Amino acid sequence: MEDIFEVYGERLSSRLLVGTAGYPSPVVLADAIDASGAGVVTVGLRRTLASGGDNGFLAGLVGRLTARGVRLLPNTAGCRTAVEAVSLARMARELYGTHWIKLEVTGDEYTLQPDPWQLLAAAETLVAEGFAVFPYATDDLVLCQRLFDAGCQVLMPWGAPIGSGQGLLNPWALRTLRERLPQAVLVVDAGLGSPVHAAQAMELGFDAVLLNSAIAHAGDPVGMARAFGQVVAGARAGYRAGVMAPQAMAVASTPVFGQPMLEG
Amino acid sequence: MITIELDDQPLELPAVLTLDALLDRQGVAPETVATAVDGVFVARSARANCQLADGARVTLFQPIVGG
């Protein structure tokens, strides 16, 4: 059965969203995106002086992706205030030609934890300007509720700090988000290190996962991208099929009632 | 003669000019960058009307990979 999910009016078949940073070469990046089957790809923008160019990583890739229907999701990475993030979002809309924005406002340099107050303020402004906002948030229920109330149809709580690969540090909080925000599109973003982590997120009922480093820093990024694509699809199928409830004790799976006792 | 900052570097110009004229002078294709003057975003459509005064700080942004 087809398992489409809708994001800001866009129907997506893949529940894996991938980033484009940290790959060993532009070719590996392009091949990994292809192998992942992702329909949404994150990109960034930086001051020309600070970035010094991206060594051709995006050259040609953007056109290739958009030509086959892959949606670009620019981010506001590096912003520390709502004002900065709003300004960068406006630039991203112009440069990439999309009103989709992955909203990042960092509140702590050590953990790269989002600043909830600045994030919400930026989200409110951007929603009012017609942006489709994908806020990168913590797993705080009240923050996510406020973001949803502000018009963010998609919420992207972290599984763990960016790039840490630690997996889902607080499954309880994520499960609570799913239960309390049934109308929101929930995407675990950041902290996933292996396909197992992605599967756990999907089995919690999350709509999708977004990751970058787990693929880019793998020994074989293309193979890992393929693995993530397969696992996310499989875990989603398993979630839809209904995972059995855990039992406290052993429950025999082979029916033995009525069988004769054997001797000798 | 005026002096502006372009990406944190001083740049002397013979006279006041517009932001789109600056990009043209520097050989920057207008659709490849986003622009800010004194920290405020200037949309592509507004560059022709954006006069760069002495001391103006111009910053250019470009697409890059991201997570």
Side-chain angles (χ1 to χ4, degrees), chain A residues 32-218:
Chain A
I33 292 173
D34 287 348
S36 75
V40 178
V41 170
T42 60
V43 290
L45 69 164
R46 286 284 175 82
R47 293 181 58 176
T48 55
L49 184 67
S51 65
D54 76 343
N55 296 318
F57 273 75
L58 281 190
L61 180 66
V62 169
R64 171 179 165 180
L65 293 176
T66 53
R68 62 172 224 259
V70 174
R71 293 293 303 243
L72 298 178
L73 180 59
N75 67 33
T76 62
C79 291
R80 302 291 184 268
T81 67
V83 169
E84 282 183 335
V86 167
S87 189
L88 206 61
R90 292 168 180 159
M91 292 183 180
R93 179 166 58 183
E94 182 177 86
L95 268 179
Y96 288 108
T98 176
H99 66 298
W100 283 20
I101 191 75
K102 178 185 171 185
L103 181 60
E104 298 185 46
V105 188
T106 301
D108 177 67
E109 295 299 324
Y110 186 67
T111 61
L112 299 180
Q113 178 172 333
D115 182 320
W117 292 274
Q118 296 294 316
L119 186 68
L120 181 58
E124 289 170 339
T125 300
L126 292 172
V127 168
E129 293 185 10
F131 281 88
V133 181
F134 296 62
Y136 168 59
T138 63
D139 52 22
D140 183 273
L141 172 61
V142 177
L143 168 61
C144 287
Q145 178 72 64
R146 296 288 182 272
L147 289 166
F148 186 67
D149 293 344
C152 299
Q153 299 174 19
V154 181
L155 304 170
M156 303 208 298
W158 64 359
I162 292 173
S164 68
Q166 297 184 54
L168 308 184
L169 292 182
N170 193 345
W172 180 87
L174 297 174
R175 187 179 297 112
T176 302
L177 285 177
R178 181 68 290 170
E179 291 174 1
R180 297 291 294 146
L181 297 167
Q183 303 303 317
V185 173
L186 293 180
V187 180
V188 167
D189 177 14
L192 305 184
S194 84
V196 169
H197 301 152
Q200 290 168 338
M202 299 309 294
E203 287 199 352
L204 288 174
F206 271 64
D207 296 283
V209 296
L210 194 165
L211 52 99
N212 188 151
S213 302
I215 294 175
H217 297 167

Side-chain angles (χ1 to χ4, degrees), chain A residues 1-6 11-15 233 236-237 240:
Chain A
M1 186 193 307
E2 195 176 37
D3 182 27
I4 300 292
F5 79 118
E6 193 168 309
R11 290 163 58 83
L12 302 172
S13 54
S14 172
R15 292 171 181 270
R236 171 67 184 178
R240 294 184 75 206

Side-chain angles (χ1 to χ4, degrees), chain B residues 3-67:
Chain B
T3 302
I4 66 166
E5 274 189 16
L6 176 59
D7 287 333
D8 293 341
Q9 300 298 313
L11 178 66
E12 290 195 339
L13 300 173
V16 170
L17 78 172
T18 60
L19 183 54
D20 64 343
L22 174 69
L23 295 182
D24 184 56
R25 183 180 188 277
Q26 298 300 115
V28 177
E31 70 281 4
T32 62
V33 293
T35 50
V37 176
D38 297 332
V40 178
F41 170 55
V42 178
R44 197 175 295 159
S45 59
R47 290 173 186 163
N49 295 322
C50 179
Q51 298 274 344
L52 300 174
D54 189 44
R57 293 178 296 109
V58 178
T59 316
L60 307 182
F61 292 77
Q62 66 181 18
I64 194 169
V65 293

